[in-house]
Amino acid sequence: MLKARIAVLVSGGGTNLQALIDAERSGIISSGKIELVISNKPGVYALERAERAGISTLVIEKKSLPSREAFEEELIAALDGAKIDFIVLAGFMCILSERFTSHYKDRIINVHPSLIPSFCGEGFYGLKVHEAALAYGVKVSGATVHFVNEIPDGGKIIMQRAVEVKEGDTPEILQRRIMEEAEWKILPESCELVCKRLVDERSK
Ligand code: GAR
């Protein structure tokens, strides 16, 4: 295997997806290629970013399917059908079951906008994470990239970066600073690290 075939799962604006696309273009990601972007929501801006970059897109809506099992079945069929080696959750707002995570053991990573184990787990996503961090009064927050297992935000940590919380921060301001200073850097770097490992392993 020369390059890992990457799928990025999204639910929203897709700034982390954009960071991955840019990193592939600039060569920061050289051991993998983004082949597919899947959204669980139609019409999100992340899909437009993917299309603009010439990447195949797919929408699989959880609510149009009878159960979580059926949703995950569809995801697996699409991912295996596209011969995906490696999955990046980039603002993907669905919790995945053990059935799904064990199918791609050590081949799924996620970016979370806090320093795990703070402000993570079920219910902590998007702006809620930053609201909780500000309400607690922490002076440092940041981002974490970790492997995905059946425990929400509970898999092994790959990279973390700390970001200063400043006087007068709103959740939106803090979110943006954490994205710029941490997420958009450590997500592509982690993606390359794990893809390279995968490629090296398979070429042994
Ligand atoms: C990012 O801040 C990401 O870390 C967070 O949602 C945002 C998505 O933004 N993810 C989570 O909270 C997952 N628990 P994006 O769509 O612009 O990449």
Side-chain angles (χ1 to χ4, degrees), residues 59-197:
V59 175
I60 302 178
E61 274 188 281
K62 203 171 176 176
K63 63 170 192 232
S64 68
L65 291 157
S67 61
R68 178 159 94 169
E69 288 71 33
F71 172 65
E72 291 184 350
E73 277 301 318
E74 290 258 330
L75 280 180
I76 291 174
L79 294 163
D80 286 355
K83 297 193 165 36
I84 294 302
D85 302 302
F86 184 67
I87 300 164
V88 182
L89 309 185
F92 185 62
M93 301 304 184
C94 297
I95 291 177
L96 296 162
S97 77
E98 202 207 336
R99 216 175 139 267
F100 185 92
T101 58
S102 58
H103 191 81
Y104 303 103
K105 193 173 180 315
D106 297 331
R107 294 191 291 136
I108 316 173
I109 66 170
N110 176 51
V111 61
H112 183 77
S114 74
L115 294 173
I116 290 175
S118 291
F119 313 115
C120 65
E122 218 165 330
F124 286 102
Y125 56 86
L127 273 179
K128 287 181 192 286
V129 177
H130 307 294
E131 280 161 13
L134 289 175
Y136 205 94
V138 292
K139 302 300 174 209
V140 174
S141 190
T144 304
V145 177
H146 61 93
F147 283 107
V148 175
N149 63 11
E150 71 284 3
I151 303 157
D153 299 322
K156 194 165 182 274
I157 291 172
I158 303 164
M159 284 188 194
Q160 288 189 306
R161 190 149 305 168
V163 173
E164 192 189 346
V165 178
K166 294 186 181 167
E167 203 60 46
D169 271 355
T170 62
E172 290 79 5
I173 291 171
L174 181 59
Q175 178 185 52
R176 184 75 191 180
R177 188 179 310 118
I178 290 175
M179 282 176 158
E180 284 175 356
E181 293 182 13
E183 295 185 48
W184 300 342
K185 293 183 175 143
I186 63 171
L187 183 61
E189 286 169 14
S190 302
C191 183
E192 171 58 20
L193 186 81
V194 185
C195 282
K196 181 157 190 336
R197 222 181 276 164

